[in-house]
Amino acid sequence: MTTKATSTGAHQQSDGTRERILDATAVVLTRKGFAGTRLVDVGEQADLQAPAIYHYFKSREELIEEVVVTGVQQMHDCVLRALEAAPAEARPIDQLLIAVEAHLRQVLVASAYTTAATRNGGQLPDHLRHRYESARQAYGDVWRGLLTAAAEAGELKPDVDLGIVRMLVLGALDWTAEWWRPERGSFDQLVKTTQAVVLNGIAFP
């Protein structure tokens, strides 16, 4: 009984340390980028000695890969939750605008993981890109479905290419992580302006 309790406690502590390392990496990666992220910086952020990280991750690259993939998955889950919570009467174009807000909120407010993924996914070396690209593709499929539904409902301008629109919109949303700061204006105003740009650019008024 005592052995089992001790083992369980150690496992929980181990899991907590692993999460602390991941959380710290997300913060450091957001600040310093892929090339500038060092394990010693992660250790300082996590209040650990850098060598202790190797008990949980084989390498710096494995650690960064995990953070970036988690960030994309969190974005995916966030947008799906927002869509599931949409009113039953929401039109396809309304759902598209809900996704715009959810994406911005996740990148800029809710998750250091998603911010780190957005700012650094493109910097990953080729041998680390498979899981990241798979996660991005799955997330892109959500947007592909939203745009297709809006087009089939006759809510989008007929001359727009949905593939180009998807890449342009996602690129613009991701880029806000590079330039938006609260002193530039409220988050709500950013959402409203972005939604207006999407509506005026691809949807019928």
Side-chain angles (χ1 to χ4, degrees):
M1 183 73 172
T2 303
T3 302
K4 184 176 180 181
T6 302
S7 174
T8 301
H11 179 68
Q12 291 174 342
Q13 182 179 5
S14 173
D15 287 348
T17 301
R18 186 178 188 276
E19 292 303 314
R20 197 159 89 243
I21 293 169
L22 288 168
D23 291 348
T25 304
V27 172
V28 174
L29 190 58
T30 296
R31 292 175 181 168
K32 298 195 172 186
F34 177 83
T37 295
R38 304 178 304 162
L39 290 185
V40 65
D41 299 321
V42 173
E44 289 178 359
Q45 180 71 29
D47 195 24
L48 291 169
Q49 294 295 318
I53 296 171
Y54 288 107
H55 290 292
Y56 303 90
F57 298 94
K58 295 178 181 178
S59 67
R60 165 187 174 274
E61 291 187 340
E62 181 186 276
L63 175 57
I64 290 175
E65 179 192 34
E66 185 66 25
V67 167
V68 169
V69 171
T70 298
V72 178
Q73 292 171 339
Q74 286 182 355
M75 172 74 80
H76 192 159
D77 293 344
C78 171
V79 170
L80 289 182
R81 286 195 302 271
L83 292 172
E84 290 171 358
E89 65 275 13
R91 300 173 302 161
I93 193 63
D94 298 326
Q95 294 180 342
L96 186 62
L97 298 183
I98 288 170
V100 166
E101 178 174 2
H103 186 114
L104 289 173
R105 187 174 301 279
Q106 186 70 12
V107 170
L108 300 176
V109 179
S111 173
Y113 287 78
T114 302
T115 307
T118 301
R119 300 186 70 176
N120 295 279
Q123 300 178 34
L124 295 178
D126 289 344
H127 66 284
L128 292 180
R129 295 187 66 85
H130 176 70
R131 289 180 64 210
Y132 168 76
E133 293 292 353
S134 295
R136 284 290 299 189
Q137 182 175 349
Y139 180 54
D141 287 344
V142 174
W143 284 83
R144 186 179 290 108
L146 291 170
L147 288 165
T148 299
E152 291 176 349
E155 296 174 336
L156 301 187
K157 298 174 182 177
D159 58 342
V160 299
D161 182 291
L162 299 186
I164 293 174
V165 167
R166 178 171 57 87
M167 297 304 292
L168 285 173
V169 171
L170 287 176
L173 295 177
D174 285 347
W175 189 247
T176 58
E178 300 294 338
W179 62 264
W180 184 81
R181 300 293 182 273
E183 57 268 22
R184 288 180 176 267
S186 71
F187 175 77
D188 288 343
Q189 188 59 50
L190 173 68
V191 170
K192 290 177 182 178
T193 301
T194 306
Q195 290 173 331
V197 169
V198 171
L199 280 175
N200 292 332
I202 66 173
F204 285 112

